[in-house]
Amino acid sequence: AEIGREVAEIRVAPGRDETLLAELGPLSRGHERVGDTLYFYCDDGRPLMKKVLELDLPDTVHRPASLEDVFLKLTGRSLIE
């Protein structure tokens, strides 16, 4: 499963998933929820991050994808669990 080159991590309560997936899902290659964090995988995260700013989601990290992201996408759990 290809994840893209960039990842946006958004810490948000699961109750907001439906709204966020409707807004951000089309701007990403896919997503994953682990605990209190939604991960969105992108080739170019700029459009997604613009929408994150519009939605006022302050607890967000935008970074390059790593091998840990590949592991998370393949197994559904982090290396540190």
Side-chain angles (χ1 to χ4, degrees), residues 35-70:
D36 65 349
T37 305
L38 267 175
Y39 294 84
F40 287 91
Y41 305 105
C42 311
D43 286 324
D44 178 0
R46 291 176 294 186
L48 188 133
M49 290 307 297
K50 181 179 178 192
K51 183 57 93 171
V52 163
L53 290 173
E54 290 173 13
L55 296 172
D56 192 26
L57 298 168
D59 203 359
T60 301
V61 175
H62 177 225
R63 60 177 174 73
S66 68
L67 289 177
E68 185 169 357
D69 295 307
V70 174

